Amino acid sequence: MDIYEKNRCFLCQGNIKREISWVGFFLNQGEFYLCEKCEKKLEKIRGEKCSLCSRPMEKLPAKFKKEAICYDCYLWEKEEKWRGVLEKNISLYVYNEFMAELIARFKYRGDYVLAKIFAADIKGVLQRNEFDLIVPIPLSNERLFERGFNQAEALAREAGMHPVSILSRIHSEKQAKKSRQERIHLPEVFSVTNPIQVKEKTVLLIDDIYTTGSTLRHAAYVLKKAGAKRVQSLTIARG
Amino acid sequence: MIFPQKDQSKKSESFISNDEKQVVIGKGFDDTLSIDEQLREWLTGRMLLFDELPFPVEYIEQQIRLGFCTSYHGIERKGNHYICNRCKNTDLSLFSPFPCARCQKECVYCRSCLMMGRVSECTPLVTWSGLEISFSYPNSLHWKGGLSPSQKEASEKIINVIKNGGDLLLWAVCGAGKTEMLFEGIAHGLERGKRIAIATPRADVVLELTPRIKQAFPDVPVISLYGGSEDRHRFAPLVITTTHQLLRFERAFDVMIIDEVDAFPFSADEMLQKAAEKAKKKDGSLIFLTATPEEKWQRECISGKRNCVILPARYHRHRIPIPKFHWCGNWKGAIQKGRIPQSILVWFRKRLEMGKQAFIFFPEIQWMERALPLFQHYAPEIEAVHSEDPQRKEKVQKFREGNIPILLTTTILERGVTIPNIDVAVVGAESEIFTESALVQIAGRVGRSPQFPTGDITFFHYGKTRAMIRARNQLLRMNREARRKGLIDD
């Protein structure tokens, strides 16, 4: 019996045919959203990685490493303003060509259901760690209207979390077009709308991708200033 | 485009139903208001999202109230079903709800045509409903070439269909000169103010076709549409487009010509077929061009159920080369062991010695890449191409210039490529990917030019398939038919 026969892959529309195993049955792995072929193209971050930002370090030349952390993180941590602001970033997948396409389809084309693909992984992270607040990185109002949904919030919701929107964006320009220097030296991008809620809490920030880490650090900075105890972040891809 | 965010009550108010619009017109049309030419160019025959138009929402809403435009719901709910008004998708598995920031509700969107910009329940589609653009271009055809008697016959039939509506299948072998047969019919339609679309599944074909059409009709505005085209806001009587872009049209064309109907993705994608139907006017004409119609259509043609013209011969009056079948055993096993199967090796080395260029088709990239070093052992200049190869264009160009003796390829080169004097082999012709139409197209690469009208085409297989036999029979039948009609001299 092939109970998954009707399921079609979210990306290639091909049929999903999976072996049904007892392990899968008892662990309730639930539905599959991708066919095996597409899933293979997703590359999990494994092996040696930066203990701070999850950047894969196996193939990284030695000059970009500083002991257990990558050179980017070393630069961030060197500056007093940013030291320890973002305690840790967990990223799930390598930002390869396939992931780039997937994220583009998800957030720019607005294919909301794709958030489900990562639900199980995100749940896994949450089972291993405890947080008081789950906070998605917000979009500006214009961008939110244009896209119809906030991709970070979608990821959290589809993973069964209850995200709280306590950040708002002051600046509205797109990040993707800026250089690292421009991003780091931005004036404040976020503000905390309800500081009382943050006091003494451990916060998990959610976003789709970690590129330079500037967005997440700016968000973590205002949260810490508002009194958050610890701030970590979770992104599906590490650019 | 950035829209101001609005509250919901305001939004629902602004989408006037059709009845209301009638009332507005009934109250007396304000004729001091003139037509906005720019908006008309954008919207004539098109059905677009607000986001696709460079006009403020308020302005479009005003135009809707005035009756110049009409808006439709992007997605309509009918009982338990949904229908997407852009791509006509009704497959429930391709709809999904999401918490929409625009309408603040669970909003259903269509995943089928998502790549053209998301259509959801709260996104309206706008069309032009004012006075249409009219035109006439008498004597527009400036093409100086001539048609052979059989091309002439096909051309007559095309004119007839364009004149009277209905549909026609032009089944012409590879290299018959299909485009030229359309010219007279197009000229005829343009003279009578008919809007004409030539649609093809592939963007590279659009790019190749556009200059040829512009040259033949120098005084007629021609636009070409594909993803990212600069012409997307323009109106033209003659439109050359990918079948995907037809999704943005609604009842636009009096004449719809679809080239390479059997090509991927059109043949496999119901959405595109519906799009072509939607983009055509109800009483318009529909013309299909193909060298390899699907089996059902072939039967309908032969039994006379489908209006069709068959062109069994190439314009250069030589017969089409017939594929030879050659059993090559377990070729995958051989390649795995690091050798080329004997029969293929003999064929291959003969081309090398003769210095004749050849394509060798493989069913899968993986096997082709494994085989490549085995072939390169004999001639290091041999290359391989596939669809994801970034150097695809350069390699084909190098082959064209004669700098690559033999090119290994997947089915990407099955159609559209014309190289004068080549032989072709198919390795693993039994593979599912080599359908009847793919094999006919591949065989059609051989003997294209009048200087070199012959060549060798061999299918190396590990067990004959129905598709192989049907492909060969189709070509044999074409040659027989051509001989009977006196269209080839041999």
Side-chain angles (χ1 to χ4, degrees):
Chain A
M1 191 181 71
D2 191 358
I3 59 166
Y4 293 127
E5 199 177 41
K6 279 182 196 155
N7 283 11
R8 280 195 283 173
C9 173
F10 273 171
L11 295 174
C12 70
Q13 304 303 328
N15 280 336
I16 302 180
K17 284 199 178 142
R18 296 280 189 140
E19 297 268 317
I20 299 164
S21 68
W22 286 111
V23 179
F25 183 75
F26 284 116
L27 289 181
N28 193 15
Q29 285 178 332
E31 281 184 273
F32 292 107
Y33 301 108
L34 295 183
C35 66
E36 278 179 331
K37 227 174 153 183
C38 288
E39 190 162 301
K40 269 187 195 151
K41 293 184 195 162
L42 286 175
E43 197 182 327
K44 273 214 163 126
I45 296 178
R46 289 208 175 83
E48 189 197 350
K49 57 188 175 192
C50 170
S51 62
L52 228 158
C53 74
S54 294
R55 182 178 183 174
M57 297 220 290
E58 264 166 20
K59 286 175 201 154
L60 215 59
K63 64 172 176 176
F64 295 122
K65 293 183 203 172
K66 276 275 173 186
E67 286 146 23
I69 62 171
C70 67
Y71 194 67
D72 271 5
C73 286
Y74 168 76
L75 286 180
W76 278 110
E77 295 300 312
K78 218 169 71 175
E79 276 184 62
E80 198 171 339
K81 183 184 174 188
W82 298 112
R83 190 173 305 142
V85 163
L86 183 67
E87 192 181 290
K88 190 185 177 176
N89 169 63
I90 304 161
S91 292
L92 302 166
Y93 293 93
V94 179
Y95 190 64
N96 58 15
E97 215 174 297
F98 185 73
M99 182 57 92
E101 241 170 76
L102 200 163
I103 288 182
R105 184 177 168 121
F106 171 49
K107 76 171 175 186
Y108 300 126
R109 301 287 178 174
D111 200 358
Y112 185 87
V113 291
L114 300 187
K116 290 186 201 289
I117 296 171
F118 305 103
D121 290 322
I122 295 174
K123 271 184 202 160
V125 172
L126 290 172
Q127 272 163 11
R128 290 191 293 273
N129 306 276
E130 253 184 53
F131 301 97
D132 301 323
L133 292 175
I134 310 284
V135 179
I137 294 292
L139 295 178
S140 66
N141 281 343
E142 287 94 338
R143 197 75 62 229
L144 183 63
F145 186 77
E146 196 182 273
R147 291 189 190 158
F149 63 85
N150 173 345
Q151 72 272 12
E153 198 179 319
L155 287 168
R157 263 185 216 289
E158 290 303 316
M161 299 193 254
H162 300 283
V164 283
S165 309
I166 48 168
L167 287 178
S168 73
R169 203 177 262 267
I170 307 169
H171 220 269
S172 68
E173 277 176 81
K174 273 187 192 164
Q175 283 272 309
K177 301 267 153 67
K178 292 190 182 126
S179 73
R180 183 171 188 276
Q181 282 308 309
E182 282 176 303
R183 288 190 198 191
I184 294 167
H185 298 292
L186 278 177
E188 287 316 335
V189 188
F190 300 105
S191 67
V192 180
T193 52
N194 191 356
I196 304 155
Q197 229 181 327
V198 192
K199 280 248 148 50
E200 288 303 305
K201 296 282 166 63
T202 53
V203 179
L204 180 69
L205 286 166
I206 306 262
D207 205 359
D208 52 349
I209 168 166
Y210 180 113
T211 311
T212 62
S214 131
T215 306
L216 288 163
R217 280 191 172 84
H218 275 95
Y221 183 77
V222 292
L223 286 168
K224 284 281 250 203
K225 242 171 60 177
K229 193 161 78 186
R230 291 163 56 199
V231 183
Q232 296 195 5
S233 64
L234 171 64
T235 73
I236 49 175
R238 175 66 178 85
Chain B
M1 273 278 302
I2 294 166
F3 299 131
Q5 193 159 10
K6 340 178 142 193
D7 64 36
Q8 204 198 319
S9 59
K10 214 169 147 196
K11 192 124 202 167
S12 56
E13 194 181 291
S14 57
F15 301 128
I16 325 167
S17 71
N18 264 338
D19 314 340
E20 274 176 79
K21 193 195 79 197
Q22 293 303 327
V23 175
V24 175
I25 296 172
K27 273 180 190 162
F29 199 79
D30 187 353
D31 51 8
T32 54
L33 279 163
S34 56
I35 286 172
D36 178 337
E37 286 298 337
Q38 210 193 347
L39 184 67
R40 181 158 80 160
E41 283 237 342
W42 267 93
L43 281 178
T44 298
R46 289 196 175 96
M47 193 181 213
L48 299 177
L49 297 166
F50 277 28
D51 301 29
E52 287 171 316
L53 292 164
F55 306 93
V57 180
E58 290 74 18
Y59 180 70
I60 301 170
E61 282 168 355
Q62 180 215 343
Q63 293 285 312
I64 293 172
R65 273 194 294 277
L66 292 170
F68 286 123
C69 301
T70 305
S71 74
Y72 298 89
H73 290 287
I75 287 173
E76 261 172 85
R77 188 197 293 256
K78 284 190 176 149
N80 285 332
H81 294 271
Y82 293 100
I83 177 163
C84 169
N85 270 331
R86 182 169 63 189
C87 70
K88 302 294 173 194
N89 165 33
T90 53
D91 182 349
L92 265 182
S93 71
L94 290 173
F95 288 103
S96 179
F98 77 106
C100 176
R102 290 195 190 186
C103 65
Q104 309 285 332
K105 279 189 292 198
E106 280 278 300
C107 190
V108 170
Y109 74 100
C110 172
R111 299 193 65 232
S112 179
C113 58
L114 182 87
M115 293 315 268
M116 314 285 293
R118 187 178 56 212
V119 175
S120 72
E121 280 180 297
C122 74
T123 46
L125 290 159
V126 205
T127 61
W128 180 256
S129 46
L131 199 63
E132 294 208 1
I133 300 175
S134 58
F135 58 85
S136 168
Y137 292 92
N139 307 320
S140 54
L141 180 60
H142 287 232
W143 181 62
K144 292 283 171 282
L147 295 175
S148 71
S150 57
Q151 280 180 311
K152 191 89 195 149
E153 189 194 320
S155 173
E156 294 291 330
K157 278 220 178 183
I158 290 168
I159 296 175
N160 207 2
V161 168
I162 289 178
K163 224 189 257 178
N164 305 320
D167 53 349
L168 174 73
L169 171 68
L170 176 58
W171 180 2
V173 295
C174 301
K178 284 192 285 277
T179 314
E180 290 75 16
M181 286 180 247
L182 294 172
F183 287 166
E184 297 259 358
I186 293 174
H188 188 90
L190 290 173
E191 185 171 351
R192 277 158 190 73
K194 291 185 189 242
R195 202 172 177 205
I196 300 170
I198 306 176
T200 153
R202 299 187 173 197
D204 37 351
V205 179
V206 171
L207 293 173
E208 192 211 282
L209 213 53
T210 306
R212 283 168 71 191
I213 300 287
K214 279 187 177 163
Q215 210 173 18
F217 300 94
D219 310 321
V220 181
V222 177
I223 56 173
S224 63
L225 301 174
Y226 44 88
S229 160
E230 297 287 320
D231 286 341
R232 65 180 181 278
H233 63 281
R234 288 181 53 209
F235 173 89
L238 196 47
V239 176
I240 303 164
T241 172
T242 57
T243 44
H244 267 100
Q245 296 298 323
L246 288 177
L247 282 169
R248 297 215 162 97
F249 288 90
E250 167 99 2
R251 309 250 164 276
F253 300 104
D254 302 281
V255 181
M256 170 72 68
I257 301 166
I258 303 178
D259 195 5
E260 310 247 25
V261 244
D262 57 297
F264 185 82
F266 188 79
S267 55
D269 196 339
E270 207 189 331
M271 174 181 82
L272 296 178
Q273 294 162 23
K274 286 180 185 166
E277 192 53 47
K278 192 186 86 163
K280 182 178 80 77
K281 286 188 186 162
K282 271 214 170 90
D283 49 358
S285 334
L286 188 55
I287 298 167
F288 297 108
L289 310 182
T290 176
T292 48
E294 55 170 290
E295 247 183 274
K296 189 170 154 241
W297 285 24
Q298 289 186 26
R299 274 201 305 275
E300 287 172 3
C301 287
I302 292 162
S303 66
K305 274 190 203 147
R306 182 175 279 277
N307 186 18
C308 83
V309 209
I310 303 178
L311 244 102
R314 291 179 164 168
Y315 70 96
H316 60 43
R317 302 183 64 83
H318 289 272
R319 61 182 196 87
I320 308 163
I322 300 299
K324 296 189 200 75
F325 294 172
H326 215 306
W327 188 83
C328 65
N330 183 2
W331 57 276
K332 286 186 187 173
I335 290 172
Q336 219 153 23
K337 285 184 194 134
R339 56 182 181 81
I340 303 170
Q342 193 55 33
S343 51
I344 300 172
L345 190 64
V346 169
W347 188 92
F348 158 74
R349 294 189 66 173
K350 200 171 156 197
R351 311 300 128 180
L352 268 189
E353 277 160 32
M354 290 193 307
K356 188 165 184 185
Q357 281 188 299
F359 281 150
I360 302 181
F361 283 84
F362 279 82
E364 283 161 75
I365 298 176
Q366 174 206 346
W367 288 103
M368 179 175 77
E369 288 190 333
R370 280 194 188 193
L372 179 63
L374 308 178
F375 285 101
Q376 281 174 334
H377 175 73
Y378 296 91
E381 306 83 37
I382 290 175
E383 291 279 4
V385 282
H386 55 83
S387 57
E388 283 153 43
D389 188 341
Q391 285 184 298
R392 173 180 157 184
K393 273 194 187 142
E394 289 82 354
K395 284 179 185 169
V396 174
Q397 189 52 36
K398 261 174 90 180
F399 185 81
R400 231 180 254 284
E401 290 160 2
N403 296 329
I404 295 176
I406 283 167
L407 190 60
L408 311 190
T409 173
T410 58
T411 51
I412 54 151
L413 296 185
E414 89 182 21
R415 56 181 85 217
V417 194
T418 304
I419 286 160
N421 186 21
I422 55 165
D423 286 342
V424 173
V426 179
V427 174
E430 75 282 356
S431 165
E432 258 176 50
I433 201 166
F434 294 120
T435 56
E436 176 187 350
S437 92
L439 291 170
V440 169
Q441 288 285 355
I442 288 170
R445 299 306 104 209
V446 180
R448 293 292 286 251
S449 82
Q451 287 82 37
F452 307 99
T454 59
D456 184 83
I457 160 81
T458 305
F459 295 167
F460 292 100
H461 63 89
Y462 188 27
K464 259 181 268 184
T465 60
R466 192 178 127 82
M468 288 164 62
I469 294 164
R470 283 194 61 96
R472 183 163 70 177
N473 285 346
Q474 193 187 125
L475 294 171
L476 282 169
R477 196 167 59 234
M478 284 296 186
N479 278 343
R480 210 159 48 227
E481 190 65 20
R483 213 167 284 129
R484 193 177 62 81
K485 285 192 176 170
L487 300 174
I488 49 180
D489 335 285
D490 58 353

